[in-house]
Each structure stands twice: as C-alpha cells, then as structure tokens.
Amino acid sequence: MSRYFDAYLENAQRVRSLIGFHDSMSANLTSAVDISDILRAAHVLSVSALDSFIHELVRAALMDIFDGKRADVPGYSRLRVNLGNFTGYTNISGSRNNVENDIRVQHGYLAFQHPDKIADAVRCVSEVKLWDEVGSILSEPAKQVKQHLILVVERRNKIAHEADIDPTFGVRWPIRSDDVLGVVECVDRISGAIDQIVDL
C-alpha cells in the first residue's frame, strides 16, 4: 500500500464522517428540514479523493521514472516538459523540482475521474491494460467496474454542475446515505486496485 493510498483513505474517512454527521443530524430533525446537501457534498468529495489520489500516484511514479527507479514506458516518453526546466543546470538531476512542478501544473488542468482519463494517466507510467487488471483484482468484468465509476462521476457532475436538479420537474434528484456510502465503497475498491497495479 502506497502512502498515496493512505492519503486517499484519510480523505475517504472524512467523507464517511460527513455521512455520519448527516445521519446524526437527520435523527434529531423533522423531515421539514432538508439537509440532503450534506450527502451531495460527500458524494463530490468522494470523487475528489479519487481524483487527488490518481494525480499524486501518477506524479510520484513519473518522478520515479525520471530518477531511474522505475522502468521507462512509451507513455512517459510522450510527455512534454518545458525545456526551461533544465536551463542553468549542469546535470539533469538539478532540474528535478522544476520538472515535478511542470507535471503538477500540466496535470492540474486535468480531471482524473472518468475511467478513460484515469487510464490515460496510468498509461504514462505503466503499459498495463488498467481496467482489465482492476477487474481481475476486484473479480468483476472490467466493463462493469468502469460502468459503476461512470455512474458515480455522472452523479458528481450533476451535483457540481447542475445543482443536482432534475430538469424535467425542477426538483433535486433524491439522495440517501446508503447511496453515498455505496459510492465511497466503490471508489475505495477501485483506488485500492489501482494502487496495487501502479505499485509504488
């Protein structure tokens, strides 16, 4: 287990605490008080935890390749870095921090949430067929694992970009604690499998 997965698990625990807070509050309030947005926030944070995990895991693996600690792969060779990173340095290791910051900036514009985008990121550090391997670890067909994640991300997008409003009726889509706990468990399993595959 990498320290990046440990950080993911800490973030996932924050999401579980938020769900617990919602449930505790709900038990003491009448149904007239709607606090379901706490669950919506938890859903968004769960996907954010996955996104952050992939960013950090892939960045660290890229730097391991840069440092010669991990085998080079074609995806790594296709990365573009600013030549200014190397200006003024007599050896390539002196520019390491600049290269790492360049990767952070470039990846900072990307979201690693959708299965295809996550596979693109992992392809920079590994030639593995990511979702086939994830499916194998989870004992589920790769297509099913990807579909679960797509549904999680689509709901996150509805919450983040559409205020979780059903356009047909102009009301928010329903959400329950069990729904969001299921999201966290799904993301936990996928993140854990990816951590094993990238193997830092």
Side-chain angles (χ1 to χ4, degrees), residues 3 72 102 114-115 135 183:
R3 64 190 177 100
D72 192 350
D102 197 6
H114 189 280
V183 165

Side-chain angles (χ1 to χ4, degrees), residues 33-52:
V33 181
D34 183 2
I35 58 169
S36 61
D37 283 340
I38 295 172
L39 296 177
R40 291 180 178 86
H43 187 119
V44 171
L45 285 172
S46 183
V47 176
S48 176
L50 169 65
D51 193 352
S52 175

Side-chain angles (χ1 to χ4, degrees), residues 109-178:
Y109 294 104
L110 304 174
F112 299 140
Q113 302 170 0
H114 189 280
D116 294 343
K117 298 299 182 185
I118 293 172
D120 288 345
V122 171
R123 208 170 287 118
C124 294
V125 298
S126 174
E127 291 188 274
V128 71
K129 291 186 177 179
L130 180 66
W131 294 107
D132 289 346
E133 291 297 318
V134 170
S136 177
I137 289 169
L138 301 182
S139 301
E140 292 180 36
K143 185 175 181 179
Q144 182 175 308
V145 175
K146 288 169 65 175
Q147 189 57 42
H148 284 158
L149 183 54
I150 287 168
L151 292 173
V152 165
V153 173
E154 284 177 351
R155 181 63 187 270
R156 176 261 175 210
N157 291 342
K158 281 184 173 63
I159 295 167
H161 303 298
E162 301 170 9
D164 209 27
I165 301 290
D166 176 351
T168 306
F169 302 105
V171 297
R172 286 179 299 170
W173 294 101
I175 192 166
R176 299 176 308 125
S177 293
D178 290 347

Side-chain angles (χ1 to χ4, degrees), residues 74-94:
Y76 175 83
S77 300
R78 287 191 292 272
L79 283 176
R80 296 179 183 175
V81 293
N82 184 339
L83 288 177
N85 291 329
F86 306 102
T87 303
Y89 293 95
T90 56
N91 61 54
I92 200 166
S93 64

